[in-house]
Amino acid sequence: MTGRGGTPPGSDADSTAPDDRLLMDTYMSQYRLPALAAADRLGIFTALADEPAPAEDLARSRGLDTHGTTTLLSLLTALGFLTVHGREHHLTPSARAFLLPGTARYWGPMLGLGWDERCTAVRHVVTNGTPHGYRGKDIWRTHGRSPRQGELFARAMHAHSAAPAAALADRLDLSGCASLLDVAGGIGTFSMALARRNPRLGATVMDLPVVAATASRVLADAGLADRVVLRPGDMFADTWPAGQDRVLLADVLGDWDDERSLVLLARARGALAPGGRLLIHQVMPDDSRHLSPTAAGYSMALAVMTGGRLRALPELAALLHEAGFPRYETTPTYGHYALVTARPDQ
């Protein structure tokens, strides 16, 4: 937010400021050891040493969840412990030297010494295919039952999103738009940034009621309560306001599987006015085989917490096409982030 007499972070006047890649790289590194330790305990390296395989074949042969196994192998590949030839995952020399039980330099006991709650959570999502959430409790239900936990989460997402939101506002021209629906918009981080940059824009922030009190205070403090309004509700169950020039899904689709993501995309299409556009802002991996450790770690964090995952552009494009958005364009915006602007078919 803007301080008194200051400039919004990420604005043109603040163009020399660093992006948040260092923070993202550091934060998402928390899943590197858990991924390695869980793979060791599940016998992943031994299995692939004996028979290199695609993720789905490995999951089927060992009774593991396909989504969890795919996410785990992607992170291990990004870290340099696996490599992919064709579709098969192979051990790299480092993995073969240090991660096979019974060999002289086996690191397994050391990995076991570092076992913690996150290791348990990774193993859980790989074996059961369900998110671990907060120590086994669903995060969305937890927020509904514990307003304090919901507020802490909303403030954390604001901290995570403030700089990407300001950068998006610098790069996205909404001067011809009067209305924006910010779905699962938390306390309105993106809507505030976009409203500051576009004085004609009115935004509606839709999120669960638990964030409404915090959002109201933040919007009032920012002097934007007249142009950014709250609409407490469940994005899957409640009606979305129609006739929107833009619908924004910022860091939303990664929380959900394909089935629920398609529901959200269909609802977004229904909420757009003629000529409207869907905006998707998220961390965008280059492709599914060459993930950075940060993007792969982020995808693991999503799998563990919500059951979702990051999607590379080809996967996202397939979902958009299925949901009736055949045309799109992609623009890098900030750090690891990119904007996808999609137009519905007529």
Side-chain angles (χ1 to χ4, degrees):
M1 293 188 301
T2 308
R4 292 185 181 177
T7 353
S11 68
D12 290 335
D14 194 36
S15 59
T16 60
D19 64 37
D20 69 353
R21 281 184 233 214
L22 179 59
L23 273 298
M24 286 282 285
D25 295 346
T26 302
Y27 189 84
M28 295 309 169
S29 70
Q30 66 184 291
Y31 282 97
R32 295 184 183 189
L33 173 60
L36 196 58
D40 173 69
R41 192 162 291 192
L42 290 168
I44 298 294
F45 298 109
T46 300
L48 291 176
D50 293 338
E51 187 175 352
E56 57 269 26
D57 291 355
L58 177 67
R60 184 168 50 251
S61 68
R62 300 190 68 82
L64 303 174
D65 176 73
T66 299
H67 167 48
T69 302
T70 301
T71 305
L72 176 63
L73 296 193
S74 293
L75 179 50
L76 295 173
T77 301
L79 293 174
F81 294 104
L82 300 177
T83 186
V84 180
H85 300 293
R87 294 178 55 249
E88 293 181 341
H89 289 81
H90 297 249
L91 269 59
T92 62
S94 291
R96 195 169 291 278
F98 297 106
L99 294 172
L100 294 180
T103 57
R105 294 181 287 175
Y106 174 52
W107 257 62
M110 188 66 178
L111 298 177
L113 193 63
W115 192 271
D116 62 8
E117 176 69 20
R118 284 189 179 86
C119 300
T120 299
V122 171
R123 182 177 63 179
H124 178 86
V125 79
V126 174
T127 56
N128 297 334
T130 54
H132 195 64
Y134 296 129
R135 297 180 180 271
K137 297 179 180 178
D138 180 272
I139 70 168
W140 313 121
R141 291 196 185 97
T142 300
H143 296 167
R145 294 169 183 168
S146 171
R148 174 171 170 73
Q149 188 68 45
E151 181 174 343
L152 288 173
F153 182 82
R155 290 194 175 278
M157 293 303 100
H158 175 68
H160 167 64
S161 300
L168 178 64
D170 284 346
R171 290 158 175 76
L172 181 62
D173 180 12
L174 295 180
S175 57
C177 298
S179 59
L180 169 88
L181 176 61
D182 185 358
V183 181
I187 62 176
T189 310
F190 278 87
S191 288
M192 287 188 290
L194 292 167
R196 286 192 191 99
R197 182 61 71 178
N198 300 276
R200 290 186 59 250
L201 183 68
T204 300
V205 179
M206 187 180 206
D207 211 315
L208 296 172
V210 69
V211 306
T214 303
S216 295
R217 292 195 297 271
V218 171
L219 290 171
D221 290 345
L224 289 169
D226 59 331
R227 289 200 295 128
V228 180
V229 299
L230 304 176
R231 187 182 178 101
D234 183 327
M235 63 185 176
F236 289 106
D238 295 331
T239 301
W240 294 17
Q244 302 293 318
D245 292 326
R246 297 292 186 270
V247 172
L248 173 64
L249 298 174
D251 287 320
V252 174
L253 295 180
D255 286 332
W256 307 101
D257 60 18
D258 287 357
E259 182 179 357
R260 290 197 174 187
S261 293
L262 284 169
V263 170
L264 294 176
L265 291 173
R267 303 199 87 185
R269 186 169 180 267
L272 286 170
R277 301 287 185 270
L278 170 64
L279 308 174
I280 299 173
H281 195 252
Q282 65 167 62
V283 171
M284 187 68 69
D286 288 338
D287 60 53
S288 59
R289 185 171 297 178
H290 298 97
L291 291 175
S292 72
T294 297
Y298 194 173
S299 200
M300 178 58 75
L302 291 169
V304 165
M305 294 301 296
T306 70
R309 64 189 174 92
L310 286 183
R311 294 175 180 86
L313 185 58
E315 298 175 287
L316 184 57
L319 286 180
L320 286 168
H321 191 272
E322 186 173 349
F325 291 93
R327 293 170 293 172
Y328 67 88
E329 58 186 33
T330 308
T331 307
T333 55
Y334 177 84
H336 295 283
Y337 283 85
L339 172 69
V340 176
T341 303
R343 289 183 282 177
D345 52 15
Q346 301 303 318

